[in-house]
Amino acid sequence: MSALSTVRERFFSQSRRSEDLTIGIILLALVVAFWILSPPGSFLSVANIKNIGVDASELMILSAGMTLLLIAGGLDLSIGSVVIFAAVLSAKTINAVAGTGPDTGPLAYHHLGLAIAAGVAVAIASGVAWGLFNSFVILRLKVPPFIATLAALGMALGLAEVISSGTNVSGLPLPLQEDFGLGEAFGILPWPIVTAAAVTAVLWVLLSKTRFGLRTYALGANVESARRAGIRVDRHMLTLYVLMGALAGIVSVVDIARFGTATLAAHSQDALSAISAVVIGGTSLFGGRGRMFGTVIGVLIPAVLLNGFVILQIESFWQNVAVGAVLIVAVYIDQLRRQAGPST
Amino acid sequence: MTLLAARGIRKRYGQVEALRGVDLEVGDGEVHALIGDNGAGKSTLVKTLSGVISPDAGELELRGAKVHFHGPRDAQGAGIETVYQDLALAPSLDAGANIFLGREPLRGGVRGRLGFLDRSRMRQEASVALADLGVELPSLEAEVGTMSGGQRQAVAVARAAVWGTALIVMDEPTAALGVRQTEVVLSLIRRVCEQKGVSVLLISHNMAHVLEVADTVTVMRLGRRAAVRRAADTSLEELTLLMAGLGGDAEPDAEAEAEDER
Ligand SMILES: Nc1ncnc2c1ncn2[C@@H]1O[C@H](COP(=O)(O)OP(=O)(O)OP(=O)(O)O)[C@@H](O)[C@H]1O
Ligand SMILES: [Mg+2]
C-alpha cells in the first residue's frame, strides 16, 4: 500500500464515522441543553433516564427492523396497525387462557404463565402473518411496497377493530403489567428497555457482521447485481418483511404489558416515526446505506425532546415540530457532506 | 478443442426475436470476440450463457457435455463468470464485498454456522486478486460507487477472474472508458486468459480492439451467426462488411432478411 492510499483509506473510514458524529452531537447538545435548563436533578436523574428509555423502547424495536428494511430498499408503512392487530389478538388470547373477572386477584390466575406464553406466541404469529401478507403482495403480485403496506396499514387496523368490536381490550392480568411492563430486570433495568436493547443488539450484529447483513446492503444498493450474484433476492426480502412483522408482534406485547390494555387509538404514527428515526440516523431512503448506531441516536433524539419538553413544561405538541426540524437538518447535513465528499 | 458450444439458441421478447437460432463455439484458452451491430443479440446470447435468461430453444455444451442453466448460480457452478455491460456492481459496497458477493467467506466454527462473515479474509483475497491483475485502487475500503469507470471495470473483471474457471464473458468492457483505461482493461483481458488458462468471450464494438486481443472472431447479425474468422486472417474492412451483412457467408443472412420482410 502506498502512503497516499493509506491516507485516503483513513479519510474514507473517518468520513463514515463522522456521519455518526453529526447526529451524535445533535443528541448530546439536546441532552446538555435540557440538563442546563431543567431544575437540578430532574432531567439527568436515574429515574428520568429510565423514563426516556422506556418511552423509546417500542420505537427502538420497530426502527431497528426498519433500518434493515430501508437498507435493503424495502418499506413497511403497516407496522403501527400490525402492532394494534397483534396486541388485540394477544390480549384476547391472554384473557381467554388466564380467565378474567371482577374479583380476580393475582392468585386467581391459574394459568398465568401459559397465558402469557400463548399471548406472546399469538402476537409474534400475527406479526409474521402480516409480514407474509406484505411479502406476497409486494413480491408475488409486484405491488410497490409503498402501496402494498399502505393497504395493509388500513386492513390490519380494520381487522383489529372488527375482532375487538371497536373497543380496547382491557382487564389483562395485573402481574403482566406489574412484573414486566412496569417491572425491572433484577430490580435494575426496566424490562421494556432490556427487550429493546436485546432486539437492537441482535439486529446490529446481524446487519454489520453477517452474510445476511452484507446481502441486505447489496440488495438495496443494486438488486440486479445481487440477483446476478446468485442471491435469492425474493427470499431475502421475504425474510426482512416477516422479521419486521415479528418485531411488531414483540412491540405489541411490550405495549399491552406497559398499559394493561390493547389500545386501538395508538400507534397510527409508528411507521412514520420509525422511518424518520432511521433517516435521522443516516440511513438512505433509497437503500444500500445505513447503520444501526445512527438509528439508535435517531430514536433517542425524539424521545429526549419529548421528555425535555415535558420537564420544561413546554407543550408536548412542540415535540412534533422539533422532530420535523431535526429530520430536515439531519438530511440536509447529510446531503452537504455527500456533495463535499468523494464524487458521485 | 471446443470449451463451450451453443447451438440453435432462440429467444423471443414479445414481437422481437432477439436470437434466431444462433451458434457459437468458444475454444479452450482463447480470447473469442463476439461482434455485431446494435441489437444483433450479443447481450441476449451472453445472458443465456450466464444463466440470467433461459432460451426458448437450442442447447449448450460445456466440454462436450450438455448443460442447462436455470439461474446465474448454475452457470457460476459450471465455471462461467460474466462481466455485464452495465457492470452490476453494488455501488455502496467496497471492492472486496463486490468481488465476494453471493459467495462470501464465513468464519470458522459456530460463528461461521451462524453466518458471520470473515471480513479480513475477504479483504485479503480481494487485494491479492486485484494485485495479480495489476489493478491499483485508491483504497480497498472505498465504496465502488466512488471509483472511476476504469477502476469499477477492474473490480468487475477481478470478480470474474477470481471465480471463473472455464469461461469469462465480458460484455463491452471498454465501452465507457478513456484511451488509457481501455488499454489497461484490454491487457487485463489477455492476462486473465494467460494466467488462469480460462477462455474469454469478449463483446465489443471496437474492431481495432477486437483484432488486438482476440484469437477468434464470431460476427453476429440479426440474431444469427454471420461468420467466424481467425483474427490473424481477417481485417477491419472485412469485419465491417460482415457486420453489415455484406460478403462472407451470406446464406443465413438472406434467410434472416426474408424473415424480416414478413
Ligand atoms: N428484456 C428485453 N425485452 C425486450 N426486448 C429485448 C430485451 N432484451 C433485448 N431485447 C431486444 O432484443 C434485441 C437484441 O438485443 P441485445 O441487447 O441482445 O443486442 P446487442 O447485440 O447486445 O446490442 P448492443 O450492441 O446495442 O448492446 C434488441 O432488438 C432488443 O431490443
Ligand atoms: Mg449489448
Side-chain angles (χ1 to χ4, degrees):
Chain A
M1 280 280 130
S2 71
L4 178 67
S5 62
T6 334
V7 169
R8 284 213 212 165
E9 209 154 300
R10 245 182 242 149
F11 170 77
F12 277 114
S13 50
Q14 269 176 9
S15 80
R16 235 176 265 169
R17 235 168 271 147
S18 81
E19 270 170 48
D20 292 343
L21 221 59
T22 316
I23 40 157
I25 287 170
I26 294 180
L27 177 62
L28 205 66
L30 286 174
V31 169
V32 170
F34 285 128
W35 175 51
I36 292 172
L37 293 175
S38 63
S42 59
F43 182 70
L44 277 190
S45 66
V46 171
N48 193 49
I49 290 172
K50 282 182 187 172
N51 273 343
I52 297 177
V54 171
D55 285 341
S57 58
E58 294 182 23
L59 183 59
M60 185 63 242
I61 295 172
L62 295 175
S63 302
M66 192 65 87
T67 306
L68 268 76
L69 207 47
L70 287 188
I71 288 175
L75 181 70
D76 191 345
L77 296 175
S78 70
I79 51 177
S81 294
V82 174
V83 170
I84 297 170
F85 181 91
V88 165
L89 277 195
S90 171
K92 285 204 167 269
T93 306
I94 292 174
N95 281 346
V97 178
T100 174
D103 51 11
T104 37
L107 292 174
Y109 303 112
H110 297 298
H111 308 294
L112 185 60
L114 180 67
I116 290 173
V120 171
V122 164
I124 293 178
S126 352
V128 166
W130 281 105
L132 287 171
F133 176 81
N134 283 333
S135 307
F136 175 78
V137 176
I138 294 165
L139 303 171
R140 192 58 64 80
L141 305 185
K142 309 277 179 214
V143 174
F146 183 93
I147 305 294
T149 60
L150 188 63
L153 175 77
M155 293 168 74
L157 180 61
L159 285 174
E161 285 168 335
V162 169
I163 293 166
S164 65
S165 316
T167 53
N168 295 344
V169 185
S170 52
L172 284 157
L174 277 177
L176 178 64
Q177 192 173 18
E178 284 166 354
D179 296 341
F180 179 71
L182 306 177
E184 302 195 335
F186 316 110
I188 307 172
L189 215 53
W191 278 110
I193 297 183
V194 172
T195 310
V199 167
T200 307
V202 169
L203 294 184
W204 192 326
V205 170
L206 182 70
L207 181 62
S208 61
K209 298 268 182 262
T210 70
R211 174 163 67 188
F212 186 87
L214 181 67
R215 291 180 173 185
T216 300
Y217 283 100
L219 246 64
N222 184 347
V223 188
E224 196 49 37
S225 84
R227 190 170 287 127
R228 289 182 196 166
I231 295 171
R232 270 168 252 185
V233 170
D234 281 6
R235 210 175 63 175
H236 197 103
M237 286 314 292
L238 179 132
T239 310
L240 287 176
Y241 281 110
V242 167
L243 174 70
M244 189 75 247
L247 293 174
I250 291 173
V251 167
S252 76
V253 175
V254 173
D255 199 65
I256 59 175
R258 282 179 64 201
F259 299 106
T261 28
T263 319
L264 293 170
H267 299 289
S268 61
Q269 299 294 315
D270 278 11
L272 297 181
S273 301
I275 292 169
S276 97
V278 171
V279 171
I280 286 175
T283 293
S284 165
L285 256 185
F286 307 105
R289 268 170 228 283
R291 303 229 271 159
M292 198 57 87
F293 178 80
T295 297
V296 173
I297 306 274
V299 167
L300 287 177
I301 286 177
V304 164
L305 274 173
L306 182 62
N307 182 278
F309 284 0
V310 170
I311 285 184
L312 295 184
Q313 295 176 324
I314 300 170
E315 268 185 306
S316 63
F317 310 125
W318 284 103
Q319 184 240 11
N320 290 329
V321 180
V323 172
V326 171
L327 180 60
I328 292 174
V329 169
V331 173
Y332 177 69
I333 292 174
D334 187 48
Q335 281 175 356
L336 280 190
R337 194 180 22 240
R338 230 157 258 192
Q339 284 159 16
S343 59
T344 60
Chain B
M1 219 200 97
T2 307
L3 172 76
L4 176 115
R7 301 222 173 78
I9 306 280
R10 292 181 172 272
K11 181 71 189 178
R12 172 181 282 282
Y13 290 112
Q15 291 295 312
V16 186
E17 201 170 6
L19 299 177
R20 311 173 176 210
V22 66
D23 300 319
L24 176 73
E25 273 131 40
V26 180
D28 237 342
E30 69 166 353
V31 175
H32 191 114
L34 183 61
I35 65 171
D37 256 339
N38 293 117
K42 307 180 294 294
S43 296
T44 309
L45 177 56
V46 161
K47 284 181 190 147
T48 67
L49 301 184
S50 54
V52 171
I53 60 172
S54 46
D56 302 332
E59 50 196 37
L60 292 181
E61 271 180 22
L62 193 66
R63 297 197 179 91
K66 279 211 177 68
V67 285
H68 295 278
F69 298 150
H70 298 291
R73 252 175 207 281
D74 289 350
Q76 289 170 352
I80 300 179
E81 286 295 320
T82 308
V83 180
Y84 295 93
Q85 193 163 3
D86 53 7
L87 288 190
L89 294 172
S92 59
L93 298 184
D94 63 20
N98 268 288
I99 289 173
F100 285 94
L101 193 58
R103 286 170 287 207
E104 307 86 348
L106 297 180
R107 305 180 69 127
V110 183
R111 280 198 279 182
R113 245 168 286 141
L114 287 173
F116 279 71
L117 288 171
D118 191 342
R119 278 199 195 266
S120 59
R121 195 175 129 205
M122 226 159 83
R123 204 157 280 161
Q124 168 69 21
E125 287 183 13
S127 100
V128 169
L130 290 164
D132 278 354
L133 293 172
V135 175
E136 274 196 40
L137 295 180
S139 153
L140 273 179
E141 310 214 323
E143 293 181 3
V144 164
T146 65
M147 295 179 183
S148 77
Q151 289 165 341
R152 259 179 286 187
Q153 192 62 252
V155 172
V157 172
R159 176 191 167 90
V162 166
W163 300 107
T165 51
L167 176 69
I168 295 176
V169 182
M170 301 198 206
D171 197 351
E172 304 199 31
T174 59
L177 301 184
V179 179
R180 230 194 63 76
Q181 296 198 323
T182 297
E183 283 305 320
V184 172
V185 170
L186 288 180
S187 62
L188 214 58
I189 292 170
R190 279 244 69 105
R191 212 171 312 152
V192 168
C193 180
E194 279 152 22
Q195 275 181 7
K196 297 204 62 185
V198 299
S199 303
V200 175
L201 179 63
L202 167 71
I203 289 125
S204 176
H205 282 287
N206 190 312
M207 298 304 128
H209 294 164
V210 163
L211 291 174
E212 184 184 331
V213 294
D215 302 301
T216 315
V217 184
T218 290
V219 183
M220 266 186 85
R221 201 177 131 66
L222 303 172
R224 288 221 174 107
R225 176 164 72 184
V228 182
R229 295 285 183 273
R230 298 214 46 86
D233 305 336
T234 186
S235 65
L236 236 137
E237 292 72 26
E238 187 188 21
L239 290 178
T240 312
L241 288 177
L242 288 169
M243 271 174 43
L246 305 167
D249 329 338
E251 231 176 317
D253 244 33
E255 229 177 281
E257 239 125 69
E259 248 175 68
D260 261 2
E261 303 291 306
R262 277 187 258 139

